[in-house]
Amino acid sequence: MAETMTVRQATMALLREHGMTTVFGNPGSTELGFLDRWPNDIRYVLGLQEASVVAMADGFARATGRPALCNLHSAAGVGHALGNVFTAFRNQAPVVITAGQQARGLLPGNPFLGATEAASFPKPYVKWSCEPARAEDVPAALAHAVHLAAQRPQGPTFVSIPSDDWQAPTRPLPPRRVSQDVAPDPALLADCAQALAAARNPVLVIGPEVDAEGAGDAAVALAEKLCAPVWASPFSARLSFPEDHALFAGHLAAAPPAVSNALAAHDLVLVLGAPVFTFHVAGDCALFRDGTPIWQVTPDAEALAAAGAGTGIQASLRLALPALAALLPPTDRAPAPPRARPAPPPAARPIAAEYLFHALSRLLPEDAVVVEEAPSHRPALQRHLPIRRWGGFYTMASGGLGYSLPAAVGVSLAHPGRRVCAIIGDGSMMYSIQALWTAAQHALPLTTIVVNNGGYGAMRSFSRVLGTEGVPGIDLPGIDFVALARGMGCAGLRVEDPAHLPDALAAALRHAAPMVLDVAVDAAIPTLYHKG
């Protein structure tokens, strides 16, 4: 007779097989069958709100490179989480999301906590979604979700599980190995190499997929062989290229004229691991009509299909980049002069964001990880806080706020003992501040720096760009982040005087447990987009 086990037992075996031994959740009654008699070898990380839970799983999954399981409560919990489900989809984060469903026998009567069309709720921002037709099919559905989440481009998947399925009998799942990579078309790769060799002045635009695949060193080797400058793609959610490298040219703004102007002098554009291109403001991208050859290499078929121009090669970067470099002949191109480094900003009052980031760059440990969600201060951060190490930077690929603080918790859990520095705007901080409680419960070495300009700085900037006046809901007076941090079990300190900032930063970066540093910065309206 074939071996049988419960759905729950088969699920736990699946998690162990895939190394998914950290589970993130905010549970409710429909999840109790899953949580019953929780095993000691699987860590359950509690978050206090579902959006925070998804972002923690996202940060953990991106930092480890493996799928992470996130357990939500019914349709209401999925609704709370949807903002960060959208962000996980844009981040290409391999998160397997489960949600409890009411017992199968009650579903025809539209019961309390019952989810109507549960599998459709998170669409289209999951790669795959399912509510199994039979209880015995739950482990197979979860295995499907795990394998598909890990396929490139990675992304979240979703399984709705009725509450009475966990003790139902099922058969154990056979062990499986599923490839995650796509090899490049050899003929197209050879054509790309030939075009690069013939170009007088090629340029590279590199996005987050390079770091996600562990192909960073191969990208550096390719750029050095081409002797070509490298720009970070707009809204890159990870390190695109070491920002202290002589070939690094800077960060492309998400504005079509700015992208065109930055790349106009080049006779070939090679885009690696990024869309062509992610824009935020309207305008004409001259590259799409002036005949400049654009080549794109990415595993993301949708990004290839959406590209405005050029030749696309669907391939995993870790396979394509070394193969492309091997096809290139030596070049006699002279490198462009390295970009000028900004002068140290003055220690003036009110504190300038530039001064904050410059001071932080001098004190941050070499192996620290930066997790950022301070959109209005991103240009200042990019100028004064260069990221140098692969796996050393994360942010959100979407525009949804409330991601990076809980994501920093997930990153910190993925790298025990490693300093993680979350740089969060005061507006962003209030979306998922409850993540501090989880950081405190796990005594994480997480330094959270609140870049506090007293409001939504990005909205101030866009109001100026769009010529709008008297817009309500932009200022955020009266928030005491130190008191909020202490209420969550974290140390807190506020800094207003630039003379006190270096010592306060040093103390926060030494603190063994989580600490919040609230830095009052200049509320002057930042410039997010330049025309060129």
Side-chain angles (χ1 to χ4, degrees):
M1 184 175 178
E3 179 186 0
T4 61
M5 57 175 56
T6 66
V7 165
R8 183 179 180 279
Q9 289 171 331
T11 298
M12 292 300 176
L14 175 72
L15 296 181
R16 294 184 180 103
E17 177 189 347
H18 290 278
M20 298 169 64
T21 54
T22 296
V23 173
F24 298 85
N26 182 265
S29 58
T30 55
E31 292 74 54
L32 287 174
F34 173 57
L35 303 174
D36 182 36
R37 297 173 178 84
W38 192 257
N40 293 330
D41 63 328
I42 297 180
R43 174 172 59 173
Y44 190 89
V45 178
L46 174 64
L48 301 185
Q49 203 265 0
E50 288 91 342
S52 291
V53 166
V54 171
M56 289 178 196
D58 175 319
F60 186 88
R62 290 210 285 163
T64 61
R66 301 191 307 272
L69 185 70
C70 174
N71 174 229
L72 306 180
H73 175 47
S74 190
V78 176
H80 289 160
L82 280 178
N84 277 332
V85 173
F86 169 72
T87 294
F89 184 77
R90 295 297 188 206
N91 286 347
Q92 299 185 359
V95 179
V96 178
I97 302 168
T98 65
Q101 169 68 293
Q102 186 54 274
R104 289 181 183 270
L106 296 178
L107 290 178
N110 193 25
F112 184 72
L113 294 179
T116 303
E117 297 186 20
S120 298
F121 195 10
K123 291 180 179 179
Y125 298 115
V126 290
K127 293 180 67 178
W128 182 76
S129 183
C130 174
E131 184 174 272
R134 305 178 303 174
E136 65 198 76
D137 297 329
V138 168
L142 287 168
H144 187 149
V146 170
H147 290 302
L148 195 56
Q151 289 286 329
R152 305 196 191 283
Q154 296 180 330
T157 53
F158 178 82
V159 181
S160 171
I161 305 172
S163 61
D164 54 348
D165 283 3
W166 293 107
Q167 295 305 316
T170 190
R171 294 180 180 179
L173 294 172
R176 296 186 65 210
R177 295 178 63 193
V178 178
S179 170
Q180 298 177 7
D181 290 307
V182 179
D185 181 314
L188 277 180
L189 205 66
D191 289 346
C192 182
Q194 185 176 10
L196 285 166
R200 298 183 309 279
N201 187 19
V203 63
L204 275 63
V205 177
I206 298 183
E209 294 165 18
V210 166
D211 193 15
E213 290 194 28
D217 291 343
V220 171
L222 176 63
E224 290 176 346
K225 190 163 187 180
L226 287 167
C227 202
V230 178
W231 288 86
S233 66
F235 288 122
S236 183
R238 300 180 70 138
L239 177 64
S240 293
F241 200 76
E243 294 172 11
D244 59 346
H245 195 286
L247 292 174
F248 185 64
H251 300 80
L252 290 177
V259 170
S260 294
N261 291 344
L263 306 180
H266 301 279
D267 59 347
L268 185 147
V269 179
L270 174 61
V271 182
L272 304 175
V276 180
F277 296 94
T278 301
F279 294 130
H280 190 199
V281 296
D284 176 36
C285 187
L287 289 174
F288 295 163
R289 55 176 173 75
D290 68 1
T292 301
I294 300 175
W295 290 78
Q296 182 184 16
V297 184
T298 175
D300 189 343
E302 184 176 353
L304 289 171
T311 302
I313 301 175
Q314 185 177 10
S316 297
L317 282 306
R318 71 179 196 90
L319 301 179
L321 300 191
L324 180 57
L327 294 172
L328 292 171
T331 183
D332 57 359
R333 298 186 193 100
R339 64 180 186 146
R341 299 294 181 188
R349 187 168 183 167
I351 298 171
E354 289 83 356
Y355 179 72
L356 166 61
F357 299 138
H358 175 77
L360 180 60
S361 72
R362 297 168 64 89
L363 296 168
L364 202 62
E366 185 178 349
D367 67 342
V369 181
V370 173
V371 186
E372 175 266 321
E373 190 177 305
S376 60
H377 300 294
R378 192 166 294 151
L381 183 144
Q382 291 168 347
R383 287 194 298 271
H384 293 280
L385 183 61
I387 307 298
R388 302 176 174 90
R389 294 169 62 99
W390 300 107
F393 177 76
Y394 299 90
T395 188
M396 53 179 184
S398 71
L401 301 182
Y403 166 78
S404 290
L405 181 60
V409 173
V411 171
S412 189
L413 288 164
H415 296 303
R418 189 171 173 184
R419 177 61 55 180
V420 175
C421 182
I423 301 173
I424 313 291
D426 53 323
S428 293
M429 188 73 175
M430 291 308 300
Y431 279 76
S432 294
I433 196 167
Q434 61 270 42
L436 290 175
W437 180 87
T438 304
Q441 293 300 305
H442 292 267
L444 300 177
L446 171 62
T447 302
T448 300
I449 300 173
V450 181
V451 190
N452 191 342
N453 62 2
Y456 297 120
M459 287 290 289
R460 291 171 180 155
S461 179
F462 273 105
S463 293
R464 182 172 62 184
V465 169
L466 300 176
T468 56
E469 297 180 4
V471 177
I474 290 179
D475 296 328
L476 299 173
I479 300 175
D480 188 340
F481 288 105
V482 172
L484 290 169
R486 291 173 179 167
M488 297 283 181
C490 298
L493 179 66
R494 180 172 170 85
V495 179
E496 299 178 1
D497 188 333
H500 299 157
L501 182 61
D503 287 344
L505 285 170
L509 292 169
R510 286 194 307 265
H511 200 68
M515 181 173 179
V516 173
L517 191 63
D518 180 17
V519 182
V521 300
D522 192 349
I525 298 175
T527 300
L528 296 183
Y529 296 110
H530 297 276
K531 293 183 178 180

